[in-house]
Structures are given as C-alpha cells and as structure tokens.
C-alpha cells in the first residue's frame, strides 16, 4: 500500500487567453477541494465518501460547469448529469436530465445504494430524488446571469459553446488543441470553442480502495435530452481494484473510446503503470477528439493526461505531495 491519494479536475480545454483573475479563482477552488478531501482521507473516510464530498463542493460553487453554474440547453434550462463508482465490487450509480436536484452526484450515489439500478434519467431520476428526500431547488437556482449571456452568444453564432465563460472578445481568437483556421468538429459538425468544464474527483484511501465521481451541466446550447460521457460508467467515470478515473472534454469522443475503462484495462491486460496507461489511452483512444482525465492507483499514485491546451487539476498524496495547475 502506498497510502491515500486524491486528484480533482475542473475540466480539460482552457482558453489560452483566460484572464489571470479567473485562473487564480480556479486554483483557489481546486485547492479548497483538495483540502476537504485531504481532511476526509486523514480521518479515514472511505474513498467513495471522499469523492462524493469533493464533487458536492464543486457542484455548489458556480465557478465550473456542474450543479449551480451549469451550462444551459437550447431552451435556456439546466439539465445536469453525474456518476459515481466504488472500486470494491465495482458498484456504481448514475443520473441524467436533472433539473431540480441540488447535488446530482449525491443522487447518483443513492441510485447505487438505494435502488436496484445503476442509472436513472429525467423524470424517473427526479421522482427517485423526491422519494429519497434529497434537497431540491428551482431550476433558476442553477442559472447565472453570465450563462444567460453566453447562451445568447451561442444562439447568435448558431453553435454549441463549450466554455461559456470565455469573454465574448475572445471567442474569435480562441482555439484549443487546433489552429485557429482549423475549427474542431464533433461528429462531423463544427464547434466554436473547445473548453468544457466538467468536474470530477478520484481518490484511493489508506485501505487501497479506489473511487471516482464526475458531474457536469453539459454543453452550452445543447439539444435538450443530450447525454454526454460524464454519467456513463466506463466512459467518463470508472473505478475498480486497480485504479479510479474521471474524464473531461469532448464527450462524444470519450464515449467512443470508453476512455475511463480503457485506462484500467491496459493496466490489467498490458501490465502498464498508472501514468503509462493514462498516456497510452490519451494518445491512442481519442482519435481526433480532445479530452483529459485524472487517475489514482490502489498504490497511492496520481496521474493525469490531456491533449488540450490545459486542464484545471489538482493532486495530493499521503507523503506530502500537493500540486494545483492549469497548463501543461
């Protein structure tokens, strides 16, 4: 056993012209979340409790795209999704299409622990939330003035915006992972800006138990009913005996590559170490997609990989290592 470890992310794909103030706000939030996770791990909470606790904090703060501050659909509403997975016995829970649940990741855990299912969505998930007595709020709680403005920009451009917090003046010049004159595409269709801000946390506790959780509001100006990788076990989230993984980025590419599970698979079947497995999957499984991920191993290692300009991320291990970063 290598001791406990934790990693957290706030999304892969960052505007290269992101204002310094915004960068510092992101680093402070990631640091705060790491401190919450560190305290929980030092108190011997199991990894599954830790990842839920940290992601709840990220959902409550409007800085990143999850919970309060989620991206808006084409109809100006919020539809959130999340998943959580406990490495021991590979238990999991996931939810999609949430409009009133204050903390989607906690409902995902209730799906795992209090239902016979692994995944509930839309009206069924909302009804389950009411049955379980979780905290519900009006959809307006999740909507910020900033997001309303960015949805207007997206509609005027007739496109999906990934990072709805990029200043309007930076929309034309922003190009993440591709040249400015080579717009990215998703399933063959062009997109304006690539910089999603899904949130996630992975942890391994002092007993070597891994867990992972991911939560998001999805894409700005997305079709109602669109489901991304974040709630899909094996794509956006995975935890097993060897490791825990949370992904972020172009959801459609992550889904096609079953990115999270593939990290565990190449560790198991190819005998790769954690960072080797992460690097292999980012290089070989994304095709032309852009994404990133964080990971921990049962031995207390942390790792990340991304093929975008940057990824909001933070790490800490029991031996005292701690790091928060954005760029490569």
């Amino acid at each position: 056993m290598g001791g406990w470890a934790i990693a957290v992310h706030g999304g892969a794909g960052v505007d290269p012209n992101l204002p310094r103030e915004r960068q510092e706000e992101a680093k402070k939030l990631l640091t705060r979340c790491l401190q919450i996770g560190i305290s929980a791990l030092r108190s011997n909470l199991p990894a599954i409790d830790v990842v839920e606790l940290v992601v709840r904090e990220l959902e409550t703060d409007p800085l990143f795209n999850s919970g309060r501050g989620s991206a808006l659909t084409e109809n100006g509403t919020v539809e959130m999704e999340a998943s959580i997975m406990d490495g021991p016995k590979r238990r999991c829970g996931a939810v999609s299409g949430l409009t009133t649940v204050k903390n989607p990741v906690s409902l995902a855990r209730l799906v795992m622990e209090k239902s016979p299912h692994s995944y509930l969505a839309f009206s069924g998930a909302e009804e389950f939330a009411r049955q379980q007595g979780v905290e519900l709020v009006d959809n307006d709680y999740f909507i910020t003035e900033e997001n309303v403005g960015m949805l207007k920009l997206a509609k005027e451009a007739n496109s999906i915006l990934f990072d709805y917090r990029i200043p309007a003046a930076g929309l034309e010049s922003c190009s993440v992972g591709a040249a400015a004159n080579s717009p990215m595409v998703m399933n063959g269709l062009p997109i304006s800006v690539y910089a999603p801000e899904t949130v996630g946390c992975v942890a391994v506790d002092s007993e070597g138990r891994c867990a992972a959780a991911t939560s998001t509001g999805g894409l700005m100006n997305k079709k109602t009913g669109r489901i991304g990788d974040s709630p899909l076990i094996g794509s956006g989230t995975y935890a097993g005996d060897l490791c825990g993984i949370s992904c972020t980025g172009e959801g459609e590419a992550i889904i096609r590559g079953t990115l999270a599970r593939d990290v565990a698979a190449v560790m198991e079947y190819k005998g790769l170490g954690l960072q080797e497995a992460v690097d292999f999957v980012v290089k070989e499984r994304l095709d032309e997609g852009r994404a990133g991920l964080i990971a921990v191993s049962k031995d207390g290692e942390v790792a990340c990989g991304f093929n975008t300009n940057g990824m909001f991320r933070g790490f800490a291990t029991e031996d005292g290592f701690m790091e928060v970063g954005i760029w490569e």
Side-chain angles (χ1 to χ4, degrees):
M1 295 293 180
W4 56 256
I6 183 172
V8 61
H9 75 73
V14 183
D15 175 14
N17 300 312
L18 190 68
R20 177 69 62 179
E21 180 182 354
R22 168 97 165 99
Q23 295 182 42
E24 293 306 313
E25 288 176 352
K27 288 180 179 179
K28 287 179 181 178
L29 175 55
L30 293 171
T31 300
R32 185 171 83 236
C33 289
L34 280 178
Q35 294 291 0
I36 290 171
I38 290 168
S39 178
L41 288 163
R42 285 174 175 168
S43 298
N44 294 318
L45 263 66
I48 190 68
D49 288 351
V50 175
V51 297
E52 180 188 5
L53 188 66
V54 170
V55 172
R56 281 178 62 93
E57 182 72 12
L58 289 162
E59 290 174 338
T60 302
D61 193 298
L63 189 65
F64 293 129
N65 175 16
S66 66
R68 186 164 181 263
S70 284
L72 305 181
T73 69
E74 60 186 355
N75 292 335
T77 59
V78 165
E79 291 182 355
M80 300 165 292
E81 48 196 20
S83 62
I84 192 167
M85 190 164 187
D86 195 13
K89 298 184 179 179
R90 288 185 290 276
R91 300 184 306 143
C92 61
V95 288
S96 286
L98 300 182
T99 59
T100 65
V101 176
K102 188 174 183 180
N103 290 108
V105 70
S106 292
L107 186 63
R109 185 168 182 182
L110 287 170
V111 170
M112 177 180 78
E113 296 185 338
K114 302 294 184 179
S115 86
H117 308 301
S118 295
Y119 195 166
L120 293 176
F122 296 93
S123 61
E126 293 279 342
E127 176 61 25
F128 179 69
R130 289 189 289 272
Q131 293 171 354
Q132 294 299 314
V134 303
E135 185 173 4
L136 304 178
V137 293
D138 291 337
N139 198 250
D140 288 347
Y141 163 83
F142 304 104
I143 299 173
T144 65
E145 183 178 345
E146 191 175 30
N147 292 353
V148 173
M150 289 307 294
L151 178 62
K152 183 175 182 292
L153 287 174
K155 286 184 174 297
E156 289 173 352
N158 192 30
S159 63
I160 290 171
L161 293 184
F162 278 79
D163 189 350
Y164 49 91
R165 293 176 176 82
I166 293 175
L171 288 177
E172 293 183 1
S173 63
C174 177
S175 176
V176 178
N181 60 357
S182 301
M184 289 189 62
V185 297
M186 174 178 283
N187 286 343
L189 298 176
I191 58 176
S192 295
V193 178
Y194 181 78
E197 291 183 344
T198 294
V199 305
C201 179
V202 293
V204 57
D205 57 34
S206 57
E207 300 296 322
R209 296 171 296 197
C210 297
T214 311
S215 181
T216 189
L219 310 177
M220 181 61 72
N221 200 28
K222 67 183 179 181
K223 293 284 188 184
T224 56
R226 184 260 184 182
I227 294 173
D229 67 286
S230 296
L232 300 185
I233 299 300
S235 292
T237 305
Y238 187 80
D241 295 333
L242 294 178
C243 58
I245 303 98
S246 175
C247 299
T248 170
E250 184 187 337
E252 279 65 13
I254 294 170
I255 292 169
R256 292 194 302 270
T258 57
L259 215 63
R261 167 57 187 159
D262 227 35
V263 172
V266 296
M267 290 180 71
E268 182 176 355
Y269 302 130
K270 292 175 69 71
L272 299 186
L274 183 68
Q275 188 64 62
E276 288 180 300
V278 167
D279 292 343
F280 175 85
V281 168
V282 170
K283 181 180 179 181
E284 302 293 339
R285 295 292 182 262
L286 279 170
D287 300 319
E288 296 179 356
R290 299 289 171 176
L293 60 90
I294 54 172
V296 295
S297 75
K298 67 179 180 62
D299 298 320
E301 303 164 298
V302 293
C304 77
F306 52 95
N307 62 359
T308 58
N309 248 17
M311 181 169 72
F312 297 106
R313 63 197 186 276
F315 311 94
T317 60
E318 188 171 357
D319 62 10
F321 170 76
M322 183 172 175
E323 179 180 275
V324 172
I326 300 176
W327 312 109
E328 292 185 20

